[in-house]
Amino acid sequence: MATGPWTAYLPDPLRLHIARYDPARVLREVEAKRCILDALASDVAQFSGGVEQQKFAERMATWAKAYAVLRLLALPYADHPDYQERWKP
């Protein structure tokens, strides 16, 4: 668990919270998820354009994988009021 020397001046519950939910790690996780979403968005955008018949199955498989990953990324928020049941994997 990552903490800095400045956490010594914080109350124990807050220090333990910061150690458990390391802000730097959380920011790295958010950035990684944004990169995943960017990569998937380009795959989905390619599918939405004109598709030759022989490449249809390949593009459809790519879209299905992207959609599955997006649903998995949304899963930790299943208890949020805006989460939609159709997003469940």
Side-chain angles (χ1 to χ4, degrees), residues 10-73:
L10 298 174
D12 283 343
L14 185 55
R15 190 171 28 155
L16 292 173
H17 177 81
I18 290 171
R20 183 171 182 194
Y21 302 103
D22 176 16
R25 184 203 52 81
V26 171
L27 291 175
R28 289 189 306 268
E29 183 178 352
V30 167
E31 181 58 27
K33 288 179 179 179
R34 285 182 176 161
C35 290
I36 291 168
L37 292 173
D38 287 345
L40 294 175
S42 67
D43 284 344
V44 172
Q46 287 177 7
F47 178 76
S48 64
V51 179
E52 298 172 18
Q53 187 63 33
Q54 63 266 26
K55 292 190 176 187
F56 179 79
E58 178 185 325
R59 295 275 176 97
M60 189 64 179
T62 298
W63 184 87
K65 288 178 191 175
Y67 188 67
V69 171
L70 290 172
R71 289 167 51 187
L72 289 170
L73 286 171

Side-chain angles (χ1 to χ4, degrees), residues 30 81-83:
V30 167
D82 292 332
Y83 184 86

